C-alpha cells in the first residue's frame, strides 16, 4: 500500500480531500506523470494541426484524437486522485460500514485501518511487479449520512493513476448502500448457478 504518512482523518473529511504528508517519491512521480502526459497531449495537438482531414488520413486522425483524449483523461484522473467522491446513504452508519466490510471480504480485499470513520480496502494491482507486492487501495471515510472515498495506486516504477476501477467502485458502492440492497446469492457450482439464473 502507498505510504500515507500521518493521514489526517478529520481534515480529510472536512476538506473532501486526502490530507497527509507526501513522500518525495510521490511528489516526483506526480510531476513526472503531469509532465509526460502534458507533453503527449501537446505533441498530439501539434501533429493534428498539420494533418489534412481526408479519407486517406482518417486512421491517423482517429489515433491522434484517441491519444489526446487518453492523455487528457489521465491528467484529469491524476489531478482528482486525492479528491474524495461522496455517496450519501439513508441506512445507519454502522450498517454502511458492515456492508462495505462484507463487500471487501467477498471480493478478497485485504481490509485494514478499520476505525470509527475509516476503512482501507487493498487489492493487488500490478501483475508485472517482479516479486514486489503492489496494491490499489480504496480509502473509505464515513460521515453520518455519507461515505467519502478515493482510489490510489502503488506501482513498482510509478504510482500511475486509477483509470477505470474508480467508476466500477462507485457503481458497486451505490448499489451496496441502497436501502433495498440484499446480499448476492453464493453460487458455488456452475450447475447451481445455471438453475438460479432461470
Amino acid at each position: 500500500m502507498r505510504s500515507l504518512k500521518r493521514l489526517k482523518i478529520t481534515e480529510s473529511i472536512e476538506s473532501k480531500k486526502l490530507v497527509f504528508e507526501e513522500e518525495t517519491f510521490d511528489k516526483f512521480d506526480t510531476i513526472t506523470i503531469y509532465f509526460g502526459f502534458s507533453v503527449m497531449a501537446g505533441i498530439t495537438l501539434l501533429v493534428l494541426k498539420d494533418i489534412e482531414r481526408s479519407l486517406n488520413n482518417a486512421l491517423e486522425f482517429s489515433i491522434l484524437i484517441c491519444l489526446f483524449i487518453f492523455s487528457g483523461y489521465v491528467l484529469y484522473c491524476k489531478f482528482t486522485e486525492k479528491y474524495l467522491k461522496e455517496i450519501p446513504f439513508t441506512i445507519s452508519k454502522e450498517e454502511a460500514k458492515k456492508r462495505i466490510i462484507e463487500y471487501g471480504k467477498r471480493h478478497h480485499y485485504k481490509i485494514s485501518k478499520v476505525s470509527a470513520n475509516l476503512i482501507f480496502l487493498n487489492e493487488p494491482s500490478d501483475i508485472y511487479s517482479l516479486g514486489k507486492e503492489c496494491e490499489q487501495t480504496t480509502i473509505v471515510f464515513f460521515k453520518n449520512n455519507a461515505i467519502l472515498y478515493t482510489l490510489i495506486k502503488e506501482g513498482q516504477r510509478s504510482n500511475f493513476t486509477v483509470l477505470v476501477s474508480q467508476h466500477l467502485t462507485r457503481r458497486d458502492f451505490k448499489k451496496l448502500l441502497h436501502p433495498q440492497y440484499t446480499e448476492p446469492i453464493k453460487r458455488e457450482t456452475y450447475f447451481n448457478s445455471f438453475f438460479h439464473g432461470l
Side-chain angles (χ1 to χ4, degrees):
M1 188 186 86
R2 248 162 88 180
S3 172
L4 299 178
K5 269 190 177 177
R6 296 192 183 108
L7 176 62
K8 294 174 181 163
I9 299 172
T10 308
E11 287 91 332
S12 295
I13 291 171
E14 285 171 1
S15 65
K16 294 187 180 180
K17 185 178 180 182
L18 285 181
V19 179
F20 65 99
E21 288 181 18
E22 266 190 292
E23 292 185 353
T24 309
F25 173 77
D26 290 328
K27 289 178 183 174
F28 177 75
D29 182 70
T30 300
I31 290 166
T32 304
I33 289 172
Y34 278 141
F35 177 75
F37 282 91
S38 295
V39 167
M40 186 189 290
I43 289 172
T44 305
L45 273 179
L46 288 172
V47 174
L48 270 171
K49 203 169 72 172
D50 293 339
I51 289 182
E52 288 183 31
R53 292 187 191 181
S54 70
L55 286 175
N56 294 338
N57 298 334
L59 179 63
E60 292 90 344
F61 194 77
S62 300
I63 290 169
L64 288 169
I65 289 286
C66 289
L67 271 175
F68 179 73
I69 291 169
F70 177 71
S71 300
Y73 181 61
V74 169
L75 290 169
Y76 169 77
C77 288
K78 192 66 181 173
F79 179 74
T80 59
E81 177 181 56
K82 291 179 199 156
Y83 287 90
L84 303 172
K85 294 97 180 160
E86 185 170 359
I87 300 177
F89 54 78
T90 55
I91 58 177
S92 71
K93 184 178 168 183
E94 290 72 29
E95 178 64 19
K97 189 183 291 187
K98 180 184 152 202
R99 289 183 186 186
I100 287 176
I101 289 171
E102 285 302 315
Y103 169 84
K105 288 177 182 172
R106 194 167 55 249
H107 292 283
H108 309 292
Y109 289 97
K110 284 195 284 181
I111 302 166
S112 61
K113 306 281 187 191
V114 179
S115 70
N117 294 319
L118 179 65
I119 294 176
F120 281 12
L121 303 173
N122 303 305
E123 65 177 322
S125 69
D126 191 357
I127 56 172
Y128 305 107
S129 58
L130 302 173
K132 184 181 180 238
E133 191 174 313
C134 298
E135 293 180 330
Q136 175 175 294
T137 304
T138 305
I139 303 165
V140 184
F141 295 93
F142 290 88
K143 287 168 60 177
N144 291 332
N145 60 347
I147 62 165
L148 299 167
Y149 76 96
T150 191
L151 280 73
I152 59 171
K153 208 170 200 175
E154 170 198 45
Q156 187 176 9
R157 294 181 186 85
S158 170
N159 293 330
F160 198 72
T161 190
V162 177
L163 299 178
V164 177
S165 43
Q166 58 184 318
H167 304 296
L168 301 174
T169 300
R170 181 173 187 81
R171 187 197 64 192
D172 287 351
F173 281 171
K174 277 188 165 182
K175 282 184 192 172
L176 200 66
L177 298 171
H178 193 276
Q180 307 301 321
Y181 174 78
T182 54
E183 286 287 321
I185 298 167
K186 289 183 181 174
R187 297 176 180 138
E188 294 176 7
T189 65
Y190 175 78
F191 184 77
N192 286 344
S193 135
F194 175 78
F195 282 102
H196 276 297
L198 293 177

